[in-house]
Amino acid sequence: MIDFERIARESQLYNFHSHTPYCDGHAPMRDFVEEAIRMGFTDWGFTPHSPVPIASPCNIKLADVERYLSDFEKLRREFDGRIRLYKSFEIDYLNDEWNARNPLYDDFDLDYKISSVHFVPCGDEFVDTDGRFESFRAKMSKYFDNDIESVVRLFYRQTLKMIECGGFDIIGHFDKIGQNAGYFRQGIENELWYKALILEVVDAICDSHLIVEINTKSLAEHGRLFPNERYFGLLKQRGVQVIFNSDSHYPERINAGRMEAINIYKNI
């Protein structure tokens, strides 16, 4: 088990959430490593979106997993002594069959696991609620009759099921739905039922002793962090361990928002 707390204590230049060209990353893995070294990073983890048994252009194909693992091992050997590299996946929770406990991951000798919710069930389908708001708005009309409260409740129900299922170390961007939901209905995160859902999730995180990722990917473009900084005081009060990840898809953005988020958290 990686000592995330020690790493975060010794260095602010680490990142345990990044993507590769095998999923929706936009540069070779080597470019991320070289840029991380140039910027003085001590620790870097690759987390391509996991294979899923549904159609998704953002997730690594099962047939490409061995190539990803092989590329990673070559980089770890080549850059040994210059940066600590870790292999992982950002594992999508879908249901009781497809989650971080799936035996598929036992064969990959992963260094740690991030698990996140991107998809919510709709009949026999799974609908991606992540991504650009224009896409989210179209899906709200197509799949959910524009019932935003129903979609938000589905997202957090998936999140609670994921936590209960377990099998992972870090929970990724646990309130990611808040961004698109907030664009769809301004002020939704201030509504009492929404706040109650967040409290339920934080309680479950505490009971499961998970590490919470402070995801900084959207800070520059959308002015928000995941989880929202309004919950930082609650996380601190509950003694939740956090780490700061850039969820980088581009080498030039590997530290985007991280230092700002660290300072915001410290000053809460």
Side-chain angles (χ1 to χ4, degrees):
M1 175 64 181
I2 298 170
D3 191 342
F4 295 100
E5 187 173 11
R6 177 191 59 79
I7 291 170
R9 187 170 59 248
E10 293 177 354
S11 170
Q12 292 185 332
L13 292 175
Y14 64 83
N15 186 62
F16 291 99
H17 188 166
S18 68
H19 293 278
T20 77
Y22 290 113
C23 57
D24 57 350
H26 293 274
M29 293 165 64
R30 169 183 290 275
D31 290 5
F32 287 91
V33 176
E34 290 178 343
E35 181 64 9
I37 291 173
R38 188 190 71 80
M39 295 188 68
F41 275 66
T42 59
D43 298 81
W44 185 268
F46 283 108
T47 55
H49 291 287
S50 69
V52 287
I54 58 177
S56 171
C58 295
N59 290 70
I60 188 171
K61 293 179 174 59
L62 189 57
D64 288 334
V65 168
E66 288 303 322
R67 291 171 59 200
Y68 157 61
L69 297 175
S70 175
D71 286 354
F72 173 85
E73 293 301 338
K74 290 175 183 176
L75 290 171
R76 177 136 69 179
R77 289 193 297 269
E78 179 179 351
F79 292 99
D80 182 41
R82 300 175 65 188
I83 190 171
R84 291 184 290 265
L85 298 178
Y86 307 91
K87 62 179 172 182
S88 182
F89 286 101
E90 183 182 12
I91 301 172
D92 273 294
Y93 177 87
L94 296 183
N95 51 35
D96 291 341
E97 288 73 45
W98 202 269
N99 53 63
R101 289 199 182 276
N102 192 303
L104 172 72
Y105 301 106
D106 295 341
D107 298 330
F108 301 151
D109 191 27
L110 301 178
D111 295 305
Y112 63 96
K113 297 177 186 176
I114 290 182
S115 196
S116 304
V117 171
H118 299 94
F119 302 91
V120 300
C122 179
D124 295 330
E125 298 182 69
F126 285 92
V127 179
D128 186 359
T129 60
D130 205 18
R132 295 288 179 181
F133 175 64
E134 292 76 16
S135 174
F136 178 82
R137 181 167 51 192
K139 291 170 185 174
M140 283 296 303
S141 175
K142 180 177 180 180
Y143 294 101
F144 301 110
D145 295 323
N146 290 319
D147 184 352
I148 187 61
E149 183 171 339
S150 172
V151 172
V152 169
R153 289 188 182 278
L154 280 172
F155 179 90
Y156 286 118
R157 189 179 307 151
Q158 287 288 91
T159 301
L160 289 168
K161 288 180 179 179
M162 177 179 72
I163 294 170
E164 181 181 4
C165 179
F168 60 98
D169 308 292
I170 302 167
I171 183 167
H173 48 59
F174 74 72
D175 69 337
K176 188 72 184 292
I177 191 70
Q179 178 171 297
N180 278 332
Y183 286 145
F184 193 86
R185 188 163 92 197
Q186 189 174 2
I188 193 170
E189 291 175 279
N190 295 320
E191 297 175 19
L192 292 180
W193 65 271
Y194 190 104
K195 293 179 179 180
L197 290 174
I198 292 293
L199 289 174
E200 192 174 358
V201 169
V202 173
D203 284 344
I205 287 169
C206 291
D207 291 343
S208 302
H209 305 289
L210 290 171
I211 300 168
V212 165
E213 159 190 275
I214 307 294
N215 187 304
T216 68
K217 175 186 174 183
S218 291
L219 186 59
E221 184 176 357
H222 297 279
R224 68 172 295 155
L225 301 164
F226 305 108
N228 194 302
E229 65 186 81
R230 70 176 69 191
Y231 309 127
F232 285 6
L234 175 62
L235 296 176
K236 276 191 166 184
Q237 184 183 45
R238 300 295 299 274
V240 176
Q241 183 181 345
V242 302
I243 57 174
F244 297 84
N245 288 332
S246 64
D247 192 354
S248 180
H249 292 63
Y250 300 85
E252 62 268 25
R253 301 180 190 174
I254 65 173
N255 204 29
R258 289 188 66 262
M259 308 316 292
E260 296 94 323
I262 289 172
N263 288 328
I264 291 170
Y265 195 83
K266 283 181 176 179
N267 291 325
I268 290 292

